[in-house]
Coordinates of all heavy atoms in Angstrom, one line a residue:
M627 N 0.8 -1.2 0.0 CA 0.0 0.0 0.0 C 0.9 1.2 0.0 O 1.9 1.3 0.7 CB -0.9 0.0 1.2 CG -1.9 1.1 1.3 SD -3.2 0.8 2.5 CE -3.0 2.2 3.5
E628 N 0.5 2.2 -0.8 CA 1.3 3.4 -0.9 C 1.0 4.4 0.3 O -0.1 4.6 0.7 CB 0.9 4.1 -2.2 CG 1.8 5.3 -2.6 CD 1.5 5.8 -4.0 OE1 0.5 5.4 -4.6 OE2 2.3 6.6 -4.5
S629 N 2.0 5.0 0.8 CA 1.9 5.9 1.9 C 1.3 7.2 1.5 O 1.4 7.6 0.3 CB 3.3 6.2 2.5 OG 3.3 7.3 3.3
D630 N 0.6 7.9 2.4 CA 0.0 9.2 2.1 C 1.1 10.2 1.7 O 0.9 11.2 1.1 CB -0.7 9.8 3.3 CG -2.1 9.0 3.5 OD1 -2.5 8.4 2.6 OD2 -2.6 9.2 4.7
F631 N 2.4 9.9 2.2 CA 3.5 10.9 1.9 C 4.3 10.5 0.8 O 5.3 11.1 0.5 CB 4.3 11.0 3.2 CG 3.6 11.5 4.4 CD1 3.1 10.7 5.4 CD2 3.3 12.9 4.4 CE1 2.3 11.2 6.4 CE2 2.6 13.4 5.5 CZ 2.1 12.6 6.5
S632 N 4.0 9.4 0.0 CA 4.8 9.0 -1.1 C 4.9 10.0 -2.2 O 5.9 10.1 -2.9 CB 4.2 7.7 -1.7 OG 2.9 7.9 -2.2
R633 N 3.9 10.9 -2.3 CA 4.0 12.0 -3.4 C 5.1 12.9 -3.1 O 5.6 13.6 -4.0 CB 2.6 12.7 -3.5 CG 2.3 13.6 -2.3 CD 0.9 14.1 -2.5 NE 0.4 14.8 -1.3 CZ -0.1 14.1 -0.2 NH1 -0.2 12.8 -0.2 NH2 -0.5 14.8 0.8
F634 N 5.6 13.1 -1.9 CA 6.7 14.0 -1.6 C 7.9 13.6 -2.3 O 8.7 14.4 -2.7 CB 6.9 14.1 -0.1 CG 5.9 14.8 0.7 CD1 5.1 14.2 1.6 CD2 5.7 16.2 0.5 CE1 4.1 14.9 2.3 CE2 4.8 16.9 1.2 CZ 4.0 16.3 2.1
S635 N 8.2 12.3 -2.5 CA 9.4 11.9 -3.2 C 9.4 12.4 -4.6 O 10.5 12.5 -5.2 CB 9.5 10.4 -3.1 OG 8.4 9.8 -3.9
K636 N 8.3 12.7 -5.2 CA 8.3 13.2 -6.5 C 8.5 14.8 -6.6 O 8.6 15.3 -7.7 CB 6.9 12.9 -7.2 CG 6.7 11.4 -7.2 CD 5.3 11.0 -7.7 CE 5.1 9.5 -7.6 NZ 3.7 9.2 -7.4
L637 N 8.4 15.4 -5.5 CA 8.5 16.9 -5.4 C 10.0 17.3 -5.6 O 10.9 16.7 -5.1 CB 8.0 17.4 -4.1 CG 6.5 17.2 -3.8 CD1 6.2 17.7 -2.4 CD2 5.7 17.9 -4.9
K638 N 10.2 18.4 -6.2 CA 11.5 19.0 -6.4 C 11.7 19.9 -5.1 O 10.9 20.6 -4.7 CB 11.5 19.9 -7.6 CG 12.8 20.6 -7.9 CD 12.8 21.3 -9.2 CE 14.1 21.9 -9.5 NZ 14.1 22.6 -10.8
D639 N 12.9 19.8 -4.6 CA 13.3 20.7 -3.5 C 13.2 22.1 -3.9 O 13.7 22.6 -4.9 CB 14.8 20.4 -3.1 CG 15.2 21.0 -1.8 OD1 14.8 22.2 -1.6 OD2 16.0 20.4 -1.1
I640 N 12.5 22.9 -3.1 CA 12.3 24.3 -3.4 C 13.6 25.1 -3.5 O 13.6 26.2 -4.2 CB 11.2 25.0 -2.5 CG1 11.7 25.1 -1.1 CG2 9.9 24.3 -2.6 CD1 10.8 26.0 -0.2
C641 N 14.6 24.6 -2.9 CA 15.9 25.3 -3.0 C 16.5 25.2 -4.4 O 17.4 26.0 -4.8 CB 16.9 24.8 -2.0 SG 16.4 25.1 -0.3
D642 N 16.0 24.3 -5.2 CA 16.5 24.1 -6.5 C 15.7 24.8 -7.6 O 16.0 24.8 -8.8 CB 16.6 22.6 -6.9 CG 17.5 21.8 -6.0 OD1 18.5 22.4 -5.6 OD2 17.3 20.6 -5.8
V643 N 14.6 25.5 -7.1 CA 13.7 26.2 -8.1 C 14.4 27.5 -8.5 O 14.9 28.3 -7.6 CB 12.4 26.4 -7.4 CG1 11.5 27.3 -8.2 CG2 11.7 25.1 -7.1
E644 N 14.3 27.8 -9.7 CA 14.8 29.1 -10.3 C 13.7 29.7 -11.1 O 13.2 29.1 -12.0 CB 16.1 28.9 -11.1 CG 17.3 28.4 -10.3 CD 18.5 28.3 -11.2 OE1 18.6 29.0 -12.2 OE2 19.4 27.5 -10.8
I645 N 13.4 30.9 -10.7 CA 12.3 31.6 -11.4 C 12.8 33.0 -11.8 O 13.3 33.8 -11.0 CB 11.1 31.8 -10.4 CG1 10.5 30.4 -10.0 CG2 10.0 32.6 -11.1 CD1 9.4 30.5 -9.0
S646 N 12.6 33.3 -13.1 CA 13.0 34.5 -13.7 C 12.3 35.7 -13.1 O 11.1 35.7 -12.9 CB 12.8 34.5 -15.2 OG 13.0 35.8 -15.7
Q647 N 13.1 36.7 -12.7 CA 12.5 37.9 -12.2 C 11.8 38.8 -13.2 O 11.1 39.7 -12.9 CB 13.6 38.8 -11.5 CG 14.2 38.1 -10.3 CD 13.1 37.8 -9.2 OE1 12.3 38.6 -8.8 NE2 13.1 36.5 -8.8
E648 N 12.0 38.4 -14.5 CA 11.3 39.1 -15.6 C 9.9 38.7 -15.8 O 9.1 39.4 -16.5 CB 12.1 38.8 -16.9 CG 13.5 39.4 -16.9 CD 14.3 39.1 -18.1 OE1 13.7 38.6 -19.1 OE2 15.5 39.4 -18.1
L649 N 9.5 37.6 -15.1 CA 8.1 37.1 -15.2 C 7.2 38.0 -14.4 O 7.6 38.6 -13.4 CB 8.0 35.7 -14.8 CG 8.7 34.6 -15.6 CD1 8.6 33.3 -14.9 CD2 8.2 34.5 -17.0
S650 N 5.9 38.1 -14.8 CA 4.9 38.8 -14.0 C 4.7 38.0 -12.7 O 5.0 36.8 -12.6 CB 3.6 39.0 -14.7 OG 3.0 37.7 -14.9
S651 N 4.0 38.5 -11.7 CA 3.7 37.9 -10.5 C 2.9 36.6 -10.7 O 3.2 35.5 -10.2 CB 3.0 38.8 -9.5 OG 2.7 38.2 -8.3
T652 N 1.9 36.7 -11.6 CA 1.1 35.5 -11.9 C 1.9 34.4 -12.6 O 1.8 33.2 -12.3 CB -0.1 35.9 -12.8 OG1 -0.9 36.9 -12.1 CG2 -0.9 34.7 -13.2
E653 N 2.8 34.8 -13.5 CA 3.6 33.9 -14.2 C 4.6 33.2 -13.3 O 4.9 32.0 -13.4 CB 4.4 34.5 -15.4 CG 3.5 35.0 -16.5 CD 4.2 35.9 -17.5 OE1 5.0 36.7 -17.1 OE2 3.9 35.7 -18.7
K654 N 5.1 34.0 -12.3 CA 6.0 33.4 -11.3 C 5.3 32.3 -10.5 O 5.9 31.3 -10.2 CB 6.5 34.5 -10.3 CG 7.5 35.4 -10.9 CD 7.9 36.5 -9.9 CE 8.8 37.5 -10.5 NZ 9.2 38.6 -9.5
K655 N 4.1 32.6 -10.1 CA 3.3 31.6 -9.3 C 3.1 30.3 -10.1 O 3.3 29.2 -9.6 CB 2.0 32.2 -8.9 CG 2.2 33.3 -7.9 CD 0.9 34.1 -7.7 CE 1.2 35.3 -6.8 NZ 0.1 36.2 -6.7
K656 N 2.8 30.5 -11.4 CA 2.6 29.3 -12.3 C 3.9 28.5 -12.5 O 3.9 27.3 -12.5 CB 2.0 29.7 -13.6 CG 0.6 30.2 -13.5 CD 0.1 30.6 -14.9 CE -1.3 31.2 -14.8 NZ -1.8 31.7 -16.1
E657 N 5.0 29.2 -12.6 CA 6.3 28.6 -12.8 C 6.7 27.9 -11.6 O 7.3 26.8 -11.6 CB 7.3 29.7 -13.2 CG 8.7 29.1 -13.5 CD 8.8 28.1 -14.7 OE1 7.8 28.0 -15.4 OE2 9.8 27.4 -14.8
Y658 N 6.4 28.4 -10.4 CA 6.7 27.8 -9.1 C 6.0 26.4 -9.0 O 6.6 25.4 -8.7 CB 6.4 28.6 -7.9 CG 6.6 28.0 -6.6 CD1 7.8 27.9 -6.0 CD2 5.5 27.3 -6.0 CE1 8.0 27.3 -4.8 CE2 5.7 26.6 -4.8 CZ 7.0 26.6 -4.2 OH 7.2 26.0 -3.0
I659 N 4.7 26.4 -9.3 CA 3.9 25.2 -9.3 C 4.4 24.2 -10.3 O 4.6 23.0 -10.1 CB 2.4 25.5 -9.5 CG1 1.9 26.3 -8.3 CG2 1.6 24.2 -9.7 CD1 0.5 26.8 -8.4
R660 N 4.7 24.7 -11.5 CA 5.2 23.8 -12.6 C 6.5 23.1 -12.1 O 6.7 21.9 -12.3 CB 5.5 24.6 -13.9 CG 5.8 23.7 -15.1 CD 6.3 24.5 -16.3 NE 7.6 25.1 -16.1 CZ 8.7 24.5 -16.0 NH1 8.8 23.2 -16.2 NH2 9.9 25.1 -15.9
Q661 N 7.4 23.9 -11.6 CA 8.7 23.3 -11.2 C 8.7 22.4 -10.0 O 9.4 21.4 -9.9 CB 9.7 24.5 -11.0 CG 10.2 25.1 -12.2 CD 11.4 26.1 -11.9 OE1 12.3 25.7 -11.2 NE2 11.3 27.2 -12.6
T662 N 7.9 22.8 -9.0 CA 7.9 22.0 -7.7 C 6.9 20.8 -7.8 O 7.1 19.9 -7.1 CB 7.4 22.9 -6.5 OG1 6.1 23.4 -6.7 CG2 8.4 24.0 -6.3
G663 N 5.9 20.9 -8.7 CA 5.0 19.8 -8.8 C 3.7 19.9 -8.0 O 2.9 19.0 -8.0
S664 N 3.6 20.9 -7.1 CA 2.4 21.1 -6.3 C 2.3 22.5 -5.7 O 3.3 23.2 -5.5 CB 2.6 20.1 -5.1 OG 1.5 20.3 -4.2
S665 N 1.1 22.9 -5.5 CA 0.9 24.2 -4.9 C 0.7 24.1 -3.4 O 0.7 25.0 -2.6 CB -0.3 24.9 -5.5 OG -1.5 24.2 -5.2
T666 N 0.5 22.8 -2.9 CA 0.3 22.6 -1.4 C 1.3 21.8 -0.7 O 1.5 21.9 0.5 CB -1.1 22.0 -1.2 OG1 -1.2 20.7 -1.9 CG2 -2.2 22.9 -1.7
A667 N 2.0 20.9 -1.5 CA 3.0 20.0 -0.9 C 4.4 20.6 -1.3 O 4.6 20.9 -2.4 CB 2.9 18.6 -1.3
H668 N 5.3 20.7 -0.3 CA 6.6 21.3 -0.5 C 7.7 20.5 0.1 O 7.5 19.9 1.2 CB 6.7 22.7 0.0 CG 5.5 23.5 -0.4 ND1 5.4 24.1 -1.7 CD2 4.3 23.8 0.2 CE1 4.3 24.7 -1.8 NE2 3.6 24.6 -0.7
R669 N 8.9 20.5 -0.5 CA 10.1 19.8 0.1 C 11.2 20.7 0.1 O 11.5 21.4 -0.9 CB 10.4 18.6 -0.8 CG 11.5 17.7 -0.2 CD 11.7 16.4 -0.9 NE 12.2 16.5 -2.3 CZ 13.5 16.6 -2.6 NH1 14.4 16.5 -1.7 NH2 13.8 16.7 -3.9
V670 N 11.8 20.8 1.3 CA 13.0 21.6 1.5 C 14.1 20.7 2.1 O 13.9 20.4 3.3 CB 12.8 22.9 2.4 CG1 14.1 23.7 2.5 CG2 11.7 23.7 1.8
G671 N 15.0 20.2 1.4 CA 16.0 19.3 1.9 C 15.3 18.0 2.3 O 14.5 17.4 1.5
N672 N 15.4 17.6 3.6 CA 14.7 16.5 4.1 C 13.4 16.8 4.7 O 12.7 15.9 5.2 CB 15.6 15.8 5.2 CG 16.8 15.2 4.5 OD1 16.9 14.8 3.4 ND2 17.9 15.2 5.3
V673 N 13.0 18.0 4.7 CA 11.7 18.4 5.3 C 10.6 18.5 4.2 O 10.8 19.1 3.2 CB 11.8 19.8 6.0 CG1 10.5 20.3 6.5 CG2 12.9 19.8 7.0
E674 N 9.5 17.8 4.5 CA 8.4 17.7 3.6 C 7.2 18.2 4.4 O 6.9 17.7 5.5 CB 8.2 16.3 3.1 CG 9.5 15.8 2.4 CD 9.5 14.3 2.2 OE1 8.8 13.6 2.9 OE2 10.2 13.9 1.3
V675 N 6.4 19.1 3.8 CA 5.2 19.7 4.4 C 4.1 19.8 3.4 O 4.3 19.9 2.2 CB 5.5 21.0 5.0 CG1 6.5 21.0 6.2 CG2 5.8 22.1 4.0
E676 N 2.9 19.7 3.9 CA 1.7 20.0 3.1 C 0.9 21.1 3.8 O 0.6 21.0 5.0 CB 0.9 18.7 2.9 CG -0.3 19.0 1.9 CD -0.9 17.7 1.4 OE1 -0.6 16.7 1.9 OE2 -1.6 17.8 0.3
C677 N 0.6 22.1 3.0 CA -0.2 23.2 3.5 C -1.7 23.1 3.1 O -1.9 22.9 2.0 CB 0.4 24.5 3.0 SG 2.1 24.8 3.4
A678 N -2.5 23.2 4.1 CA -4.0 23.1 3.8 C -4.6 24.5 4.0 O -4.4 25.1 5.1 CB -4.7 22.1 4.6
Y679 N -5.2 25.1 3.1 CA -5.8 26.4 3.2 C -7.3 26.5 3.1 O -7.8 27.6 3.1 CB -5.2 27.3 2.0 CG -3.7 27.6 2.2 CD1 -2.8 26.8 1.7 CD2 -3.3 28.7 2.9 CE1 -1.4 27.0 1.8 CE2 -1.9 29.0 3.1 CZ -1.0 28.1 2.5 OH 0.3 28.4 2.7
G680 N -7.9 25.4 3.1 CA -9.4 25.4 3.0 C -9.9 26.1 1.8 O -9.5 25.8 0.7
N681 N -10.8 27.1 2.0 CA -11.4 27.7 0.8 C -10.7 29.0 0.4 O -11.2 29.8 -0.3 CB -12.8 28.1 1.2 CG -13.7 26.9 1.4 OD1 -13.4 25.9 0.8 ND2 -14.7 27.0 2.2
M682 N -9.4 29.2 0.9 CA -8.7 30.4 0.6 C -8.4 30.5 -0.9 O -8.1 29.5 -1.6 CB -7.3 30.4 1.3 CG -6.6 31.7 1.3 SD -5.0 31.7 2.2 CE -5.6 31.6 3.8
N683 N -8.4 31.6 -1.5 CA -8.1 31.9 -2.9 C -6.7 31.5 -3.2 O -5.8 31.7 -2.4 CB -8.3 33.4 -3.1 CG -7.9 33.9 -4.5 OD1 -6.8 33.7 -4.9 ND2 -8.9 34.4 -5.2
L684 N -6.5 30.8 -4.4 CA -5.2 30.4 -4.8 C -4.2 31.5 -4.8 O -3.0 31.3 -4.5 CB -5.3 29.7 -6.2 CG -4.0 29.2 -6.7 CD1 -3.4 28.1 -5.8 CD2 -4.2 28.6 -8.1
E685 N -4.5 32.7 -5.2 CA -3.6 33.8 -5.3 C -3.1 34.1 -3.9 O -1.9 34.4 -3.7 CB -4.3 35.1 -5.8 CG -4.6 35.0 -7.3 CD -3.4 35.1 -8.2 OE1 -2.5 35.9 -7.9 OE2 -3.3 34.3 -9.1
K686 N -4.0 34.0 -2.9 CA -3.6 34.3 -1.5 C -2.6 33.2 -1.0 O -1.7 33.4 -0.3 CB -4.8 34.4 -0.6 CG -4.5 34.5 0.9 CD -4.1 35.9 1.3 CE -4.1 36.1 2.8 NZ -2.7 36.2 3.3
I687 N -3.0 31.9 -1.3 CA -2.1 30.8 -0.9 C -0.7 31.0 -1.5 O 0.3 30.9 -0.7 CB -2.7 29.5 -1.5 CG1 -4.0 29.2 -0.8 CG2 -1.7 28.3 -1.2 CD1 -4.8 28.1 -1.5
L688 N -0.6 31.3 -2.7 CA 0.7 31.4 -3.4 C 1.4 32.6 -2.9 O 2.7 32.6 -2.8 CB 0.6 31.4 -4.9 CG 0.1 30.0 -5.4 CD1 -0.1 30.1 -6.9 CD2 1.1 28.9 -5.1
A689 N 0.7 33.7 -2.6 CA 1.4 34.9 -2.0 C 2.0 34.5 -0.7 O 3.1 35.1 -0.3 CB 0.3 36.0 -1.8
D690 N 1.4 33.6 0.1 CA 2.0 33.2 1.4 C 3.3 32.4 1.2 O 4.1 32.4 2.0 CB 1.0 32.3 2.2 CG -0.1 33.1 2.8 OD1 -0.1 34.4 2.7 OD2 -1.1 32.5 3.2
I691 N 3.3 31.7 0.1 CA 4.4 30.8 -0.2 C 5.6 31.5 -0.9 O 6.7 31.4 -0.6 CB 4.0 29.6 -1.1 CG1 3.0 28.8 -0.3 CG2 5.2 28.8 -1.5 CD1 2.3 27.7 -1.2
I692 N 5.2 32.4 -1.9 CA 6.2 33.0 -2.7 C 6.2 34.5 -2.4 O 5.2 35.2 -2.6 CB 5.9 32.9 -4.2 CG1 5.8 31.4 -4.6 CG2 7.0 33.6 -5.1 CD1 5.3 31.2 -5.9
C693 N 7.3 35.1 -2.0 CA 7.4 36.5 -1.8 C 7.6 37.1 -3.2 O 8.7 37.0 -3.7 CB 8.5 36.9 -0.8 SG 8.3 36.2 0.8
G694 N 6.6 37.7 -3.7 CA 6.7 38.1 -5.1 C 6.6 39.5 -5.4 O 6.9 40.1 -6.3

């Protein structure tokens, strides 16, 4: 049986993410999700976390994650 946390192994470490400063704020958010593989699950080195925001707007969620 697959663990609830098995999806983390597929995530890219956010320290390895490179986002062009020439992109608009919206494009930066989309690029972050494309590169990391998730808007709610994140991996930093050996630390893996999942953020649950309920009914919060995606723009607000990503603003909390990415200082843009």
Side-chain angles (χ1 to χ4, degrees):
M627 185 165 120
E628 191 174 9
S629 164
D630 287 343
F631 297 102
S632 63
R633 70 185 169 280
F634 286 115
S635 64
K636 299 172 185 151
L637 295 175
K638 181 176 182 179
D639 188 323
I640 65 170
C641 293
D642 297 330
V643 171
E644 293 185 22
I645 299 175
S646 171
Q647 294 303 308
E648 296 177 9
L649 297 174
S650 71
S651 182
T652 301
E653 291 169 323
K654 286 179 186 177
K655 293 169 188 172
K656 289 178 183 177
E657 182 63 13
Y658 175 84
I659 293 170
R660 186 191 69 73
Q661 286 190 43
T662 61
S664 176
S665 63
T666 58
H668 310 281
R669 185 168 68 87
V670 182
N672 293 329
V673 177
E674 300 164 338
V675 297
E676 184 162 18
C677 304
Y679 290 91
N681 293 331
M682 191 181 290
N683 176 298
L684 180 60
E685 292 287 318
K686 175 79 171 108
I687 293 168
L688 294 173
D690 286 350
I691 296 169
I692 304 169
C693 297

